[in-house]
Amino acid sequence: MDTTLVLGYIGALIVGLVLGLIGGGGSILTVPLLVYLLGYNPVVATAYSLFVVGTSSLVGTYQKHKKGYVDFKTGLAFSFPSFVAVYLSRRYLVPGIPDTIIDFGDYMLTKNMGIMIFFAFIMIFASFSMIKKQKKNGTHLPSHPYYKTFVQGLIIGTITGIIGAGGGFLYVPALVVWANIPMKRAVGTSLIIVTINSLIGFMGDVQTLDIEWGFLLSFTIISIAGIILGVFLSKFISAKRLKKSFGFFILFMAVYIIYKESAM
């Protein structure tokens, strides 16, 4: 087996481990792993990431449900505008982005560069949400009218569709503040939204891309194995401390992506 492919599978295991240990964030490693290590272009990488994230989150939903941390009613209601936006983004928006976005003098911003730079800025936002101290549960803002949740779902769904990440780092605070759900329950509930969004978004890609099913399924299975192992290890490791450290790592990766894409 090719050494690069072996490293890719080790990366898939690490993605699962992170998801299992801290309940999110691991999916944001999938796209850089597929692009910079395995050589996939960003459009294909974001598509594959959606499948890996969706399938892995389905396993996570089952695990959280057994512990009573999933609000199916809120999750399904919140997911409707999101999955519509994800599907439309993958089916029409991403394929519709021109190969050359900006061509000004000696500077050229291509579609692949644009997707990765946008992805890096979302990673920066995600890293700050992991690094900062979480507020204790107790006081929440009043629940917002559903039309505001609908609009927010469309925005987050569009971002999720473009970058190919699960978006849990965006959905969890939304559920806490807008749906008035305690943090632990928000984490579990967000997995329903991530599962539905990611897999439906991937369906939009199936219609426009040639999928390497053998690689994708093996990569996903290894990620799921990592999640199961991560959930077991989470009993012995401080998730809060690990989450903060991982946040700094994500910030470093984001800066690296911006530097690498700008240097091209």
Side-chain angles (χ1 to χ4, degrees), residues 157-179:
T158 301
I159 294 172
T160 299
I162 294 173
I163 68 175
F169 61 92
L170 297 172
Y171 290 118
V172 170
L175 288 167
V176 170
V177 175
W178 290 46

Side-chain angles (χ1 to χ4, degrees), residues 79-90 150 153-154 157-158 196-197 200:
S79 69
F80 173 69
S82 297
F83 79 68
V84 170
V86 173
Y87 177 81
L88 292 177
S89 296
R90 298 306 304 183
F150 188 91
L154 288 176
T158 301
I196 294 173
N197 286 0
I200 290 180

Side-chain angles (χ1 to χ4, degrees), residues 12-174:
L13 184 66
I14 293 172
V15 167
L17 274 172
V18 172
L19 282 167
L21 284 168
I22 66 176
S27 60
I28 211 164
L29 292 175
T30 308
V31 172
L33 180 66
L34 291 170
V35 172
Y36 298 120
L37 180 61
L38 297 176
Y40 287 93
N41 75 61
V43 174
V44 174
T46 52
Y48 284 10
S49 177
L50 285 173
F51 183 82
V52 175
V53 170
T55 308
S56 302
S57 296
L58 182 61
V59 175
T61 300
Y62 174 70
Q63 292 176 325
K64 292 293 184 181
H65 173 60
K66 289 194 298 183
K67 296 180 180 179
Y69 290 145
V70 178
D71 185 334
F72 283 99
K73 183 178 178 181
T74 301
L76 291 173
F78 201 95
S79 69
F80 173 69
S82 297
F83 79 68
V84 170
V86 173
Y87 177 81
L88 292 177
S89 296
R90 298 306 304 183
R91 181 68 178 87
Y92 300 106
L93 179 58
V94 174
I97 298 174
D99 291 333
T100 301
I101 300 173
I102 298 174
D103 187 357
F104 184 75
D106 295 330
Y107 180 75
M108 178 181 291
L109 178 65
T110 65
K111 177 178 181 176
N112 289 343
M113 289 172 59
I115 289 175
M116 291 307 298
I117 290 173
F118 179 67
F119 184 87
F121 280 109
I122 297 299
M123 286 177 72
I124 291 173
F125 179 85
S127 69
F128 287 146
S129 71
M130 293 176 187
I131 293 169
K132 72 179 182 180
K133 292 183 178 180
Q134 299 293 329
K135 294 181 180 179
K136 295 181 179 180
N137 295 335
T139 304
H140 302 294
L141 296 176
S143 297
H144 288 232
Y146 183 72
Y147 78 88
K148 290 187 177 180
T149 301
F150 188 91
V151 172
Q152 189 193 36
L154 288 176
I155 294 171
I156 298 177
T158 301
I159 294 172
T160 299
I162 294 173
I163 68 175
F169 61 92
L170 297 172
Y171 290 118
V172 170

